Amino acid sequence: MKDAVATAGTVASLVLLVVVAVPYLVVTNPEAPLSAYYAAGSVGANSVAFLAVIAAVVFLSGPRGNAEPDLVAGIAVVLGLAMVVLSLLWATAIDETLLFSFPPEAAWIEYHRWAVVALSAVVAVVAGVYAREVL
C-alpha cells in the first residue's frame, strides 16, 4: 500500500507542476502580465513549482530504497505543508486588477491560483497518508 501512496504522491506532485506551468504554455498574448502574475506576493508561484519537483523526487526515493521510508515520509510532509503555505501566500497576494488585465480568452486565470492551492493540499494529504502508512 505504501508504494501505491508514494506513486500517488509522485503523480500529484507532477500534476501540480504542470498546473503551475499552464499559463506559461497557454497564454500566448505578449501583453499578458504573466511575469507579474507569477511573481505576486513575497514568494511567487515558482517556489511552489520548485518544491513540487523536489516532492516528486522524494516520493520516488522511498519505494526505490534510496532513502529510509520514515525519512522520506517526514520530508514529504514538510514539503507538502510548505507548498500549501507558499501557494496560499501567493494566491492571496494576487491583485484583482492584475487578474482582470489578462486578455478575455484567458479569463480562466482567475481560477488558476485556487487550482494550484488545491493541488498543493492534495500533495500534503498524500504525504500525510504516506507517513501514516510508513510509521
Side-chain angles (χ1 to χ4, degrees), residues 31-134:
E31 296 177 10
L34 278 175
S35 60
Y37 176 71
Y38 277 100
S42 59
V43 292
N46 293 330
S47 60
V48 177
F50 177 71
L51 291 181
V53 171
I54 294 173
V57 172
V58 166
F59 277 116
L60 283 173
S61 65
R64 292 185 177 193
N66 297 341
E68 294 296 322
D70 54 344
L71 176 66
V72 169
I75 293 171
V77 168
V78 170
L79 285 172
L81 293 176
M83 282 189 283
V84 170
V85 169
L86 292 177
S87 64
L88 278 171
L89 286 172
W90 169 70
T92 56
I94 297 173
D95 186 40
E96 295 291 327
T97 306
L98 175 65
L99 286 176
F100 293 118
S101 62
F102 278 84
E105 63 269 8
W108 54 266
I109 200 96
E110 183 178 342
Y111 305 105
H112 174 257
R113 59 187 171 155
W114 302 119
V116 171
V117 171
L119 283 169
S120 297
V122 168
V123 173
V125 168
V126 171
V129 171
Y130 182 72
R132 186 169 184 192
E133 289 293 321
V134 168

